[in-house]
Amino acid sequence: MHLVGVSISTMPQLRTLVLCLSMTTALTACSGSSSGGGDGVTNAGDSNQPTTDPVNPDAPDVNPGDEPTAGPPVNPNPEPPAALAPLPNPATSESPGFDDEPSNINRPVTAITRYFLVENPARRIEPQPTLGITETDFATGMPPAVITAENGFDTSTNSAPYFDGLTNQEIDAGQVLNVLYKPVDDDGGLPGMFPNELPESATFTDNFDGTKTFSWMPLQGDIGITPFTVTAVDGDVPSYRAEQTILIKVNAPADPSTIPNFPPVVNEVREHTVRVGDPVLLELKGSDRNSTYPSVEVLTPPPGATVLPHYIFEEITVLRFIPETPGVINIDVLARDADDPNLTGTRTISVTAEPKEAFALPGERLRALAGERGFRLGFAAVQEFYYRPDGALYSDLAGLEFNIVSAENSMKWDYINPEPGTFRWADADNLIAFAKHYNHIVHGHPMIWHRQLPIWIREAPEASLEMHMREFIDRLAVRYGDDVAIWDVINEPIADEGGFRRSIWYNAMGEDYIDIAFRQARDSDPDGILLLNEYDIAWDTPKTETLFPLLDSLLLKSTPIDGVGFQLHIDANFDKFDEVEANFQKVADLGLDIYVTELDVAITAGVATEEDQATVYARILDICLNQPRCKALQIWGFTDQYSWRRDQNPLVFDSAYKPKPAYFALQERLAQ
Ligand code: G3I
């Protein structure tokens, strides 16, 4: 999205920025509006305007508020910015090509009908195998134990526990392996022990004589070498431990029929609440311990249902139907063994359909209230929501409630570019289609992070990483720059204990990777709002001791940074609001904008309540609204159904899309 004309009213209470925005296709006539719901863009008749609110049919059309104010920071000591060398040609890794382009979906396989969606090329991308354990490793024998102790513990005074008589193991698939674990401590006492990670269907049982037995029947999928680790705990000093790994070599038996054929199961599908009249989508899949793909049959399809094979994964069956009446819909599904058709498993999958009225929300939509302040209030969209049972409700509720959306996982490197030269654009393309339909602005997340990197990048030669980094930034920005207003250019560069996180990027380029990434982002998306995004910096932590000197150094280098993203993953008993206010102000004093980028407020049962959670949401919003430089507040999701912290119900709608006290607390604060 390009900001083509700006006039900023500096009166704090107005804090509005009147923009002329050029959407991808054409410049729209601009008429500024410094108050009211106008977003400063007169795009009457624009297909992006949301239709009347399907969740609240009688609600008026809504528009987001004015665009957030943006402006490059004032650089106190301008140094000539170091120009980046041009990107290499040919590129360091194969560039996106026409064969990566998504295509229209022309089959009834999505939950969305209000805007069109695309799908990636029908190409199966297997998770990259990480470098495994080799035959040589196995032949070398059992690896030495890894001894761990607290800092300063004198291991010379106390011999570490160990397992008597333990060795590597070798067995044919289909046979049962039993390994006795007899922990010994030469200083006397009986060590404790626990397995680090059991292979599927393996057991580690107590013999009630100080020993335990590891029991496992490896199958076809386990052929190869599997490490198995058990930790022995010193009887006197529990922090003094020995992690002992054995290597288990599983061979294919001469006669495969000696491997028992287990019945397949239909994979469980999480409970969902859906809305009557919406398409409901179920991706049904079976699994089989013998590592084959069972076929799936829908025994009791709802009326009018379609059942289609997935266009890439033949093991997935796509069921789509439209519930016409409220109630629980039970669907019996059967999985049939790939080798023996008489071997089957069944499961009943239930979906709860509620009438439209059940989702009507009282009061004004949060986006309308935010829009009156020229403020952005939004969420992060779960990956491929349109393939999920409640995708239609998800899209409509979020589309009409908020006015800014982040990609939770859709733009991460391991999804977008899993192998050199392979690109999966569809999910981010579809998120942008969602945003255009409901008139959201898009928050691109993340460009450069240390997590969710594809294997080919994690294992790339260090000398190649600068160009890989710059090319990925450029590819994201070139494809999405016109539709993404804000970028998390660098995500989580600071170590928990302070100092720079020792990511592959830091190891390859030192702290300069941050400046280089921002410069590349600016070169590739000249109008993007560029953020450094971090967690645990909104209150005083070892990270904030690194953050502010880092920001100073970036500003001194004229790094093109526009703001700081405060993730704010917190708990319902959070109380450091003064520090949040102070840290926001410290960033504002640097001439940088503030974005609350990933707010969620976890509830620990018995410790905090939904009312405590509501208070925290309202306090954070209040601090942001009172800080002129705070431009947006985004929640990391919006329904507990898809939260990464789902078991602590951290969001403002529950899993059945009902508003929680936190929703009303936000509504009330915005309405003040
Ligand atoms: O896409 C794969 C799927 O193909 C596979 O079948 C499935 C099971 O293994 O995994 C799927 O990938 C998961 C991905 O979310 C998409 O659902 C990863 O395993 C899972 O680790 C990943 O978790 C994400 C997490 O970042 C880790 O990167 C969370 O959804 C996401 O909410 C969370 O978000 C981060 C922000 O990006 C940065 N700030 C912190 C925040 C919380 O960790």
Side-chain angles (χ1 to χ4, degrees):
M1 176 184 286
H2 296 285
L3 312 183
V4 290
V6 168
S7 68
I8 300 177
S9 146
T10 53
M11 294 161 63
Q13 69 274 20
L14 287 182
R15 261 190 335 103
T16 50
L17 171 65
V18 173
L19 301 174
C20 294
L21 304 176
S22 77
M23 304 303 288
T24 313
T25 47
L27 286 182
T28 48
C30 297
S31 67
S33 149
S34 60
S35 63
D39 57 9
V41 176
T42 56
N43 39 19
D46 179 330
S47 61
N48 288 333
Q49 284 305 324
T51 53
T52 50
D53 176 350
V55 175
N56 253 340
D58 51 0
D61 276 3
V62 289
N63 284 310
D66 295 322
E67 302 310 318
T69 55
V74 174
N75 179 345
N77 307 298
E79 286 175 7
L84 290 177
L87 283 171
N89 185 9
T92 310
S93 69
E94 188 187 335
S95 297
F98 188 72
D99 61 351
D100 295 302
E101 277 310 303
S103 49
N104 292 355
I105 299 178
N106 52 20
R107 304 179 311 287
V109 291
T110 75
I112 303 292
T113 55
R114 296 180 192 283
Y115 47 92
F116 91 5
L117 296 164
V118 293
E119 62 191 2
N120 288 313
R123 180 174 47 195
R124 192 182 187 103
I125 292 164
E126 296 299 348
Q128 295 288 310
T130 51
L131 291 177
I133 295 167
T134 65
E135 294 284 344
T136 309
D137 298 328
F138 182 76
T140 306
M142 184 170 78
V146 174
I147 308 299
T148 57
E150 274 181 355
N151 292 341
F153 179 76
D154 179 1
T155 56
S156 65
T157 62
N158 181 334
S159 59
Y162 61 93
F163 294 105
D164 187 22
L166 203 54
T167 63
N168 282 349
Q169 303 289 322
E170 185 160 4
I171 189 168
D172 277 1
Q175 302 304 309
V176 175
L177 171 69
N178 288 307
V179 181
L180 183 68
Y181 276 79
K182 187 174 186 316
V184 175
D185 188 334
D186 293 342
D187 303 329
L190 178 63
M193 63 177 145
F194 60 87
N196 285 16
E197 188 178 338
L198 281 172
E200 187 185 343
S201 75
T203 57
F204 194 69
T205 50
D206 198 336
N207 300 317
F208 302 105
D209 60 1
T211 69
K212 292 188 179 179
T213 298
F214 169 71
S215 185
W216 182 39
M217 180 200 286
L219 298 169
Q220 290 90 335
D222 304 304
I223 288 172
I225 300 169
T226 297
F228 173 60
T229 303
V230 178
T231 297
V233 181
D234 187 278
D236 303 324
V237 183
S239 58
Y240 187 31
R241 302 179 167 193
E243 294 187 13
Q244 181 62 63
T245 296
I246 61 171
L247 302 179
I248 303 170
K249 188 165 182 289
V250 180
N251 300 311
D255 175 0
S257 69
T258 58
I259 301 177
N261 186 3
F262 288 87
V265 296
V266 176
N267 288 6
E268 194 172 357
V269 174
R270 194 192 283 182
E271 274 179 32
H272 284 87
T273 297
V274 299
R275 186 173 57 181
V276 169
D278 281 339
V280 174
L281 201 90
L282 287 173
E283 292 193 341
L284 303 170
K285 187 176 173 184
S287 51
D288 188 311
R289 285 183 55 191
N290 297 104
S291 300
T292 53
Y293 287 134
S295 59
V296 170
E297 295 156 36
V298 181
L299 303 180
T300 58
T306 57
V307 181
L308 289 172
H310 190 279
Y311 79 113
I312 299 179
F313 307 104
E314 78 272 12
E315 69 273 16
I316 295 178
T317 294
V318 179
L319 168 67
R320 183 178 186 273
F321 63 95
I322 299 180
E324 298 303 348
T325 53
V328 176
I329 300 154
N330 293 314
I331 301 160
D332 298 334
V333 182
L334 177 140
R336 192 176 298 283
D337 191 86
D339 298 324
D340 175 357
N342 298 317
L343 214 47
T344 61
T346 58
R347 179 190 296 275
T348 298
I349 291 172
S350 300
V351 172
T352 303
E354 293 186 16
K356 280 187 177 53
E357 301 70 45
F359 304 98
L361 290 165
E364 284 197 81
R365 301 288 51 77
L366 302 182
R367 72 181 277 167
L369 295 167
E372 287 161 17
R373 299 163 171 271
F375 185 68
R376 293 282 172 178
L377 189 95
F379 75 112
V382 69
Q383 203 161 17
E384 298 186 338
F385 57 83
Y386 38 89
Y387 289 143
R388 297 174 191 264
D390 49 10
L393 176 56
Y394 184 96
S395 172
D396 266 349
L397 196 157
L400 290 157
E401 196 63 44
F402 304 113
N403 58 18
I404 179 172
V405 59
S406 283
E408 181 184 25
N409 287 299
S410 311
M411 294 185 179
K412 286 175 178 172
W413 201 328
D414 66 345
Y415 175 76
I416 289 264
N417 183 203
E419 298 154 352
T422 299
F423 293 84
R424 290 184 290 194
W425 299 119
D427 196 28
D429 288 5
N430 290 330
L431 180 62
I432 284 166
F434 161 91
K436 286 181 178 172
H437 178 78
Y438 292 104
N439 210 355
H440 284 220
I441 64 171
V442 180
H443 187 144
H445 168 85
M447 286 182 152
I448 299 305
W449 193 22
H450 63 281
R451 290 178 60 187
Q452 289 184 265
L453 295 169
I455 288 268
W456 72 274
I457 286 293
R458 295 207 301 264
E459 294 174 356
E462 208 163 74
S464 68
L465 284 176
E466 177 174 342
M467 285 311 158
H468 283 316
M469 175 181 86
R470 291 182 53 197
E471 286 168 354
F472 183 69
I473 290 170
D474 185 59
R475 286 161 181 166
L476 273 184
V478 163
R479 187 176 183 91
Y480 297 122
D482 285 350
D483 303 308
V484 169
I486 304 165
W487 289 106
D488 291 339
V489 175
I490 294 286
N491 194 41
E492 304 174 9
I494 302 173
D496 289 346
E497 64 278 10
F500 289 98
R501 183 185 296 277
R502 290 308 188 262
S503 65
I504 62 170
W505 311 114
Y506 181 87
N507 295 339
M509 293 168 261
E511 69 176 272
D512 286 350
Y513 86 94
I514 298 173
D515 176 64
I516 294 166
F518 272 98
R519 290 184 191 287
Q520 184 61 58
R522 175 61 69 230
D523 286 356
S524 303
D525 182 359
D527 303 305
I529 295 170
L530 307 180
L531 307 183
L532 182 148
N533 190 46
E534 186 56 90
Y535 65 88
D536 291 3
I537 56 169
W539 58 95
D540 298 334
T541 66
K543 295 180 89 148
T544 44
E545 288 161 29
T546 299
L547 172 71
F548 291 104
L550 167 60
L551 294 175
D552 288 340
S553 77
L554 292 174
L555 290 170
L556 281 176
K557 277 186 279 198
S558 303
T559 300
I561 175 173
D562 299 312
V564 173
F566 291 79
Q567 293 185 11
L568 273 163
H569 293 293
I570 52 183
D571 295 336
N573 53 9
F574 181 83
D575 60 3
K576 297 178 167 58
F577 301 107
D578 295 347
E579 293 175 37
V580 175
E581 202 159 4
N583 283 357
F584 280 14
Q585 188 55 49
K586 282 174 76 175
V587 169
D589 291 344
L590 292 172
L592 294 172
D593 285 339
I594 292 128
Y595 289 76
V596 176
T597 50
E598 306 184 14
L599 179 60
D600 49 28
V601 182
I603 295 177
T604 304
V607 173
T609 65
E610 287 193 343
E611 284 63 30
D612 298 327
Q613 178 185 58
T615 301
V616 173
Y617 268 102
R619 288 292 303 273
I620 298 295
L621 174 60
D622 183 61
I623 293 168
C624 183
L625 291 176
N626 289 328
Q627 168 49 260
R629 281 265 185 198
C630 188
K631 300 302 167 193
L633 182 144
Q634 289 182 261
I635 299 166
W636 201 241
F638 70 94
T639 164
D640 291 333
Q641 175 81 328
Y642 296 119
S643 169
W644 70 295
R645 303 169 88 182
R646 185 167 183 256
D647 56 351
Q648 291 184 290
N649 302 311
L651 299 174
V652 299
F653 285 86
D654 67 19
S655 291
Y657 292 86
K658 300 304 181 298
K660 294 157 68 174
Y663 171 83
F664 295 107
L666 293 177
Q667 190 181 56
E668 183 186 342
R669 176 59 189 88
L670 282 168
Q672 278 171 10

